[in-house]
């Protein structure tokens, strides 16, 4: 019988294996972030700005499904670290825009490279066919999870 908590990999349930993978991946990611002086909650903000520099704080909060005050705290910390800066919207002074600094753009490049390296390492020795199947399985798992009762996924499902 497969168990949720077992020391033997062959006896672990699929759910347990999935949780192990998720935990190990998070630990590796958090280690990479610590080296760069970042917190996990700051990454979605940085990545939003990498795609849409000058985004408003309100838009980010709505997209992340967070309170504006929560997003504001992360932005303040990123400002202090020299990664972002704020400026008033030229057309509507009530809107505060957030932009990446040069250091912020360099941070995005470093993060992207490190996460790409981690992904390559995670999936080395998989064939293209296996990777294609694994992607399909991941997508199917996500779709299946939509039918599980409970709260929707949190804001970090990027």
């Amino acid at each position: 019988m497969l168990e949720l908590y077992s020391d033997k990999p062959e006896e672990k349930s699929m759910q347990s294996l999935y949780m192990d993978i998720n935990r190990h991946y998070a630990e590796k990611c958090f280690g990479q972030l610590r080296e760069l002086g970042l917190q996990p909650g700051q990454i979605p903000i940085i990545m939003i700005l990498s795609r849409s520099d000058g985004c408003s704080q309100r838009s980010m909060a709505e997209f992340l499904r967070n309170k504006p005050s929560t997003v504001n705290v992360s932005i303040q910390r990123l400002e202090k670290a020299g990664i972002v800066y704020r400026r008033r919207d030229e057309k509507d002074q009530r809107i505060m825009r957030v932009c990446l600094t040069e250091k912020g753009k360099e941070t995005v490049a470093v993060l992207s490279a490190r996460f790409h390296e981690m992904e390559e390492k995670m999936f080395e020795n998989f064939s293209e066919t296996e990777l294609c199947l694994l992607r399909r399985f991941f997508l199917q798992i996500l779709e299946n999870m939509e039918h599980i009762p409970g709260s929707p996924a949190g804001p970090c499902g990027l």
Side-chain angles (χ1 to χ4, degrees), residues 38 42-50 78 83 100 108 111:
L38 298 171
Q42 296 169 331
I43 300 310
I45 292 171
I46 293 171
M47 297 317 290
I48 288 170
L49 293 174
S50 74
L78 288 167
I83 293 172
L100 289 170
V108 167
L111 275 175

Side-chain angles (χ1 to χ4, degrees), residues 23-83:
R23 187 181 72 252
H24 287 301
Y25 182 75
E27 289 169 356
K28 298 292 184 181
C29 286
F30 293 166
Q32 295 285 328
L33 296 177
R34 272 192 301 276
E35 287 178 17
L36 295 172
L38 298 171
Q39 298 295 317
Q42 296 169 331
I43 300 310
I45 292 171
I46 293 171
M47 297 317 290
I48 288 170
L49 293 174
S50 74
R51 293 185 196 110
S52 182
D53 205 24
C55 190
S56 73
Q57 286 181 224
R58 182 183 307 270
S59 296
M60 279 193 276
E62 288 172 4
F63 180 79
L64 296 171
R65 292 184 231 142
N66 277 339
K67 295 179 195 172
S69 59
T70 303
V71 172
N72 187 48
V73 169
S74 290
I75 290 170
Q76 285 175 337
R77 290 180 179 155
L78 288 167
E79 264 185 317
K80 190 174 180 179
I83 293 172

